[in-house]
Amino acid sequence: MYKMMTPGPTQVLEHVRMAGSRACINPDLDTEFIEFYKETCELISSLLHTKNETLILGGEGILGLEACCASLTEPGDRVLVLDNGVYGKGFADFVSMYGGVPDLYHADYQKELDAGDLAQYLACHSGYKYATLVHCDTPSGMLNNIGRICPLLKQHGILTVVDSVSAMFGEYVNADEFQADLLCGGSQKAVSAPPGLAFVVMSPDAKAAIRNRKSPIASFYASLSIFEHYYENKWFPYTMPASDIYMLRAALDDIAADPGIFSRHAAIGNATRKTLQDAGLNLYLKSGFSNTVTVFCVPEDISVNDVLEQMKEKHRILLAGSFDVLSGRVIRIGHMGVNAAISHMVETLGALDDVLRGFGVPLQVRLDEHFLHLVHASGEARL
Ligand SMILES: *Cc1c(COP(=O)(O)O)cnc(C)c1O
């Protein structure tokens, strides 16, 4: 067994796992479960500060992204794909797959999206049904300011599909203020439940756009409209993975009972970034640092895979490399959800210190000690 310090899946607490061991029920025939499902959806909405309806989908985080594109896109629709990261760009595939025409807005992969630049672009480009954007683009750790960008798009009459799978519950989200129309999350990132569930928060505008389509949605499983009236009819469109939803609920209850969650993520994110920089390592990003994941460059003469392998085999800790344009260049530490704890980070950075020095990297500070000093100086005390 390895300690998972990856940016999803994260570690899952025992009582959350145990919540999945409740007796299995028939999700369609057991009315208590239908209530439980609805309450869990409402809990997600309330944690994201909105009365908009949330749906929990029986599929991995990716299903939420695909379902949003499938449900909104009609053949020929023009869609603005905001691309300053691997997931950002990836939305173009879902748009095309459902007959839409993606228009890629490329921006620097090392900087957060600039709302001013986007405003200029929107002044001379129009005709988009919706736009896609990523809150935290996990391969680079890029945090985009969705609270600025969604309202800007909304002013131009453009609906938004936001992937906040690896940000929400580690970074503050207010779905109403941010004006996100379809907001996607997943169970295995900052929520720290097992992988297997996606959820989507839907604004009235998004629902109207889906309802007013002229052509049918080209998918059943990836359609958001199949859930319409599930509660009135007491019938789900497909059998819900009840055990997964029990675990999700236990993890969400923990989040609801944890008022210090965002300040803790911020304290740990800041201390991690500063520790690596003070040690002489470079962060991949220039701006837009998410407090859920830190991405640093591995010195050129050292193999990312060798470092990851030693972390794994010598210290039993899993860190992640990255993929696409970042493959073989960086290492990612996932400090989201349950992982965002001082004790886990001290152990992880202590091991990383040992491995990097073993490969001859001249670190200027002891990573674990320096981190602990910084995080305590910030006032964060919970281990
Ligand atoms: C993890 C993640 C998802 C879900 O994708 P999986 O690779 O299937 O886990 C979607 N978007 C982002 C930004 C993610 O980090």
Side-chain angles (χ1 to χ4, degrees):
M1 256 218 344
Y2 303 106
K3 186 188 197 77
M4 284 199 291
M5 292 300 289
T6 45
T10 62
Q11 300 175 72
V12 178
L13 295 178
E14 187 178 14
H15 74 271
V16 171
R17 284 182 274 123
M18 293 306 287
S21 70
R22 278 169 63 167
C24 290
I25 46 89
N26 184 318
D28 287 310
L29 301 181
D30 187 325
T31 47
E32 264 178 41
F33 180 78
I34 297 180
E35 294 298 329
F36 182 85
Y37 174 90
K38 183 161 174 279
E39 277 169 26
T40 306
C41 291
E42 286 166 356
L43 177 57
I44 295 172
S45 297
S46 85
L47 290 171
L48 298 172
H49 306 282
T50 179
K51 290 210 161 51
N52 289 349
E53 186 184 8
T54 295
L55 292 175
I56 299 168
L57 311 179
E60 221 289 315
I62 286 289
L63 175 63
L65 316 187
E66 180 165 352
C68 293
C69 294
S71 302
L72 283 180
T73 314
E74 293 196 69
D77 278 344
R78 291 183 60 229
V79 179
L80 181 62
V81 174
L82 301 182
D83 164 27
N84 70 330
V86 174
Y87 277 91
K89 188 191 179 93
F91 264 116
D93 295 336
F94 289 134
V95 170
S96 324
M97 218 173 272
Y98 290 95
V101 183
D103 200 349
L104 267 99
Y105 173 88
H106 294 290
D108 193 331
Y109 272 33
Q110 288 173 293
K111 290 187 192 147
E112 67 179 298
L113 283 169
D114 184 297
D117 290 350
L118 181 62
Q120 278 188 1
Y121 180 88
L122 292 172
C124 43
H125 296 80
S126 56
Y128 301 113
K129 178 171 189 180
Y130 70 95
T132 62
L133 69 154
V134 181
H135 191 189
C136 170
D137 211 306
T138 331
S140 62
M142 170 69 69
L143 187 76
N144 285 311
N145 188 342
I146 60 170
R148 278 209 65 196
I149 291 169
C150 295
L152 172 65
L153 291 159
K154 199 84 180 166
Q155 275 169 21
H156 287 80
I158 303 170
L159 296 167
T160 49
V161 171
V162 179
D163 172 355
S164 184
V165 173
S166 69
M168 60 166 64
F169 307 120
E171 292 283 347
Y172 177 76
V173 174
N174 184 315
D176 282 351
E177 257 176 38
F178 292 4
Q179 299 178 41
D181 288 300
L182 289 174
L183 177 63
C184 301
S187 55
Q188 87 283 28
K189 302 285 169 82
V191 176
S192 291
L197 295 173
F199 37 89
V200 180
V201 191
M202 307 178 294
S203 76
D205 287 351
K207 284 183 167 184
I210 294 171
R211 204 172 297 124
N212 297 333
R213 290 173 60 107
K214 291 181 191 72
S215 56
I217 295 172
S219 174
F220 179 80
Y221 200 56
S223 162
L224 296 172
S225 66
I226 54 173
F227 282 85
E228 226 181 344
H229 309 303
Y230 80 88
Y231 186 67
E232 293 81 355
N233 299 338
K234 308 282 181 244
W235 196 260
F236 289 109
Y238 48 82
T239 303
M240 283 287 130
S243 305
D244 287 351
I245 294 173
Y246 291 143
M247 293 188 279
L248 173 68
R249 175 61 172 273
L252 292 168
D253 285 341
D254 284 353
I255 291 170
D258 183 4
I261 197 165
F262 298 117
S263 60
R264 189 165 68 254
H265 276 82
I268 284 175
N270 284 326
T272 304
R273 293 188 289 271
K274 183 140 182 10
T275 295
L276 295 172
Q277 286 176 302
D278 288 351
L281 295 164
N282 292 320
L283 301 178
Y284 173 71
L285 294 177
K286 296 182 180 129
S287 70
F289 300 97
S290 175
N291 288 320
T292 56
V293 51
T294 291
V295 183
F296 68 94
C297 302
V298 174
E300 264 175 28
D301 46 338
I302 290 163
S303 146
V304 165
N305 282 342
D306 289 350
V307 174
L308 294 176
E309 194 58 25
Q310 273 213 13
M311 283 296 289
K312 192 172 158 197
E313 293 316 324
K314 185 169 173 200
H315 295 280
R316 317 300 292 173
I317 295 175
L318 281 184
L319 295 181
S322 196
F323 42 91
D324 207 283
V325 293
L326 286 149
S327 171
R329 298 175 57 197
V330 300
I331 285 178
R332 299 182 295 157
I333 308 173
H335 38 76
M336 59 180 81
V338 166
N339 290 8
I342 294 174
S343 53
H344 293 316
M345 287 303 295
V346 166
E347 186 187 337
T348 302
L349 290 170
L352 187 62
D353 187 287
D354 173 63
V355 171
L356 290 176
R357 282 181 208 276
F359 284 113
V361 181
L363 301 174
Q364 311 294 312
V365 296
R366 268 285 306 262
L367 298 180
D368 48 347
E369 284 171 9
H370 198 66
F371 170 84
L372 197 57
H373 166 75
L374 291 171
V375 85
H376 281 160
S378 77
E380 183 62 40
R382 183 174 136 161
L383 284 176

